[in-house]
C-alpha cells in the first residue's frame, strides 16, 4: 500500500512529501494521521533542524478528501465531522508549534486545507502554475477554516484576505508573490533546489538560535505592542549569548571559518 506521506532525510533537513498524486494529494484520514505523527515527533528531534514540505504530482493539495474518512460505529454526523475537523486543525497547530522552520514548495492547486498547510508553513515557494483558494465557502460552509481567518490577513492584508475568504476565488502565482504570500516563483525543476538552498542558509545559524527565532516570530505576531516584542527579543538574545554555540560563533567569525555548532 502506498504511504500517504514520504519522509527523506539529508543531514539536518527532512523533506516531507505528500504522496497521493492520483487524488491530487487530497487529505484523507491516513495522510492526516501520518502528518500528525510526524510533526508531533519533531518536538524532541532536535537533530532535524529544517523541514521542507512538498507534494508529488501536478497539484500540491486539493483540500479535504470527502470520501477518505471512515465513519466509526455509532458515531453521529456532528461527532464524525468534529473528529475530522479537529484532526486536520491539529496538523496546523503542530506545524506552528514545532521548533523547526518549515519551507513549503507548492505546484498547481492548493485548495482549502491545502492552502492552510501553506499558511501553517514559515516560508513558501511556488511554481508559475500555482493557484490557491479558500474553497470552504464554495461547498456550503463558511470561508474561514483551518486557520485561514488568522493567518491570511496577516500575510496578504485584510482586503485580499476578505476577497478570497468571502468568494472562494482563486489567486495565482503572480498575485500571491506580489501580496507576499510566497517568497519566490520558480520553475518546477528548480523549486526544490530553491528550498534546499534556503535550508542550507538556515543551517548556518546556531541550532537554538534558529529554534528561538521561529518561536519569537510566532509569538510576536500576537504581541500586544512594540514594547512586548522588544522584551521577548531582549530575553532571547541574552539567553542565547550564554550558550557555548554563541562563543563558538564569535571565535569562528574572528578566525574567518564556519562555526562548528554542538547545540549547547
Amino acid at each position: 500500500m502506498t504511504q500517504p506521506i514520504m519522509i527523506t532525510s539529508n543531514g539536518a533537513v527532512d523533506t516531507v512529501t505528500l504522496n497521493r498524486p492520483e487524488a491530487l494529494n487530497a487529505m484523507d484520514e491516513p495522510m492526516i494521521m501520518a502528518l500528525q505523527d510526524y510533526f508531533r515527533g519533531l518536538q524532541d528531534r532536535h537533530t532535524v533542524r529544517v523541514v521542507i514540505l512538498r507534494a508529488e504530482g501536478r497539484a500540491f493539495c486539493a483540500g479535504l478528501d470527502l470520501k477518505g474518512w471512515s465513519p466509526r460505529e455509532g458515531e453521529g454526523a456532528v461527532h464524525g465531522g468534529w473528529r475530522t475537523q479537529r484532526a486536520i486543525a491539529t496538523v496546523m497547530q503542530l506545524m506552528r508549534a514545532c521548533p523547526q522552520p518549515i519551507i513549503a514548495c507548492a505546484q498547481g492547486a492548493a485548495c482549502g486545507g491545502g492552502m492552510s498547510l501553506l499558511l501553517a508553513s514559515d516560508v513558501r515557494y511556488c511554481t508559475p502554475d500555482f493557484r490557491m483558494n479558500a474553497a470552504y465557502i464554495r461547498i456550503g460552509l463558511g470561508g474561514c477554516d483551518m486557520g485561514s481567518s488568522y493567518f491570511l490577513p496577516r500575510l496578504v492584508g485584510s482586503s485580499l484576505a476578505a476577497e478570497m475568504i468571502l468568494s472562494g476565488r482563486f489567486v495565482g502565482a503572480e498575485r500571491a508573490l506580489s501580496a507576499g504570500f510566497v517568497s519566490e516563483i520558480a520553475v518546477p525543476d528548480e523549486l526544490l533546489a530553491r528550498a534546499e538552498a534556503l535550508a542550507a542558509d538556515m543551517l548556518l545559524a546556531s541550532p537554538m538560535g534558529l529554534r528561538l527565532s521561529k518561536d519569537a516570530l510566532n509569538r510576536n505576531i500576537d504581541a500586544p505592542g512594540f514594547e512586548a516584542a522588544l522584551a521577548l527579543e531582549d530575553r532571547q538574545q541574552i539567553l542565547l549569548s550564554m550558550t557555548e554555540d554563541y562563543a563558538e560563533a564569535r571565535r569562528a567569525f574572528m578566525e574567518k571559518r564556519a562555526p562548528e555548532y554542538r547545540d549547547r
Side-chain angles (χ1 to χ4, degrees):
M1 184 177 177
T2 303
Q3 295 298 312
I5 67 171
M6 297 186 298
I7 300 165
T8 57
S9 299
N10 182 14
V13 180
D14 270 8
T15 299
V16 180
T17 302
L18 307 183
N19 191 36
R20 300 188 70 221
E22 74 288 347
L24 301 181
N25 296 305
M27 297 172 169
D28 66 355
E29 190 167 6
M31 175 186 281
I32 290 301
M33 293 301 106
L35 288 171
Q36 273 197 27
D37 289 345
Y38 175 77
F39 284 110
R40 185 176 286 111
L42 286 179
Q43 287 290 343
D44 299 318
R45 292 183 62 212
H46 288 175
T47 53
V48 178
R49 297 186 54 204
V50 182
V51 175
I52 296 173
L53 178 65
R54 60 175 301 276
E56 283 293 319
R58 60 188 178 89
F60 177 73
C61 176
L64 178 65
D65 184 344
L66 295 173
K67 299 179 180 179
W69 295 76
S70 301
R72 294 181 179 174
E73 186 176 353
E75 187 176 61
V78 171
H79 297 78
W82 179 254
R83 176 169 56 85
T84 299
Q85 184 80 12
R86 287 308 309 158
I88 301 172
T90 296
V91 172
M92 313 306 168
Q93 291 173 306
L94 291 169
M95 289 174 66
R96 296 314 305 153
C98 76
Q100 297 85 353
I102 301 169
I103 306 168
C105 299
Q107 76 281 7
C111 305
M115 184 183 75
S116 289
L117 285 174
L118 299 178
L119 288 168
S121 300
D122 297 289
V123 181
R124 291 154 292 277
Y125 292 134
C126 75
T127 55
D129 69 342
F130 171 74
R131 59 183 192 142
M132 62 176 175
N133 78 330
Y136 330 100
I137 203 166
R138 292 196 169 184
I139 57 172
L141 300 173
C144 301
D145 198 13
M146 298 300 157
S148 62
S149 61
Y150 180 84
F151 286 117
L152 199 56
R154 288 166 167 79
L155 277 173
V156 304
S158 61
S159 182
L160 180 53
E163 177 186 329
M164 293 177 65
I165 286 171
L166 298 177
S167 73
R169 282 183 175 180
F170 276 96
V171 168
E174 291 293 342
R175 198 173 182 198
L177 178 64
S178 65
F181 184 87
V182 298
S183 296
E184 193 173 349
I185 300 171
V187 298
D189 289 346
E190 297 178 4
L191 189 65
L192 182 57
R194 299 291 176 91
E196 291 172 339
L198 178 61
D201 282 346
M202 289 179 175
L203 293 181
L204 298 176
S206 72
M208 192 171 189
L210 188 63
R211 294 194 297 269
L212 289 187
S213 294
K214 173 173 176 173
D215 182 72
L217 278 169
N218 281 343
R219 294 180 187 278
N220 282 342
I221 285 176
D222 295 321
F226 179 53
E227 297 299 329
L230 282 177
L232 177 61
E233 292 174 351
D234 290 345
R235 285 160 175 76
Q236 174 179 290
Q237 296 297 62
I238 295 303
L239 178 67
L240 289 168
S241 73
M242 298 295 107
T243 64
E244 292 181 19
D245 280 345
Y246 171 71
E248 163 61 10
R250 291 190 60 176
R251 287 192 298 269
F253 179 80
M254 298 300 294
E255 296 168 8
K256 296 181 171 54
R257 60 174 174 81
E260 296 179 7
Y261 293 124
R262 301 175 63 194
D263 202 6
R264 295 184 181 178

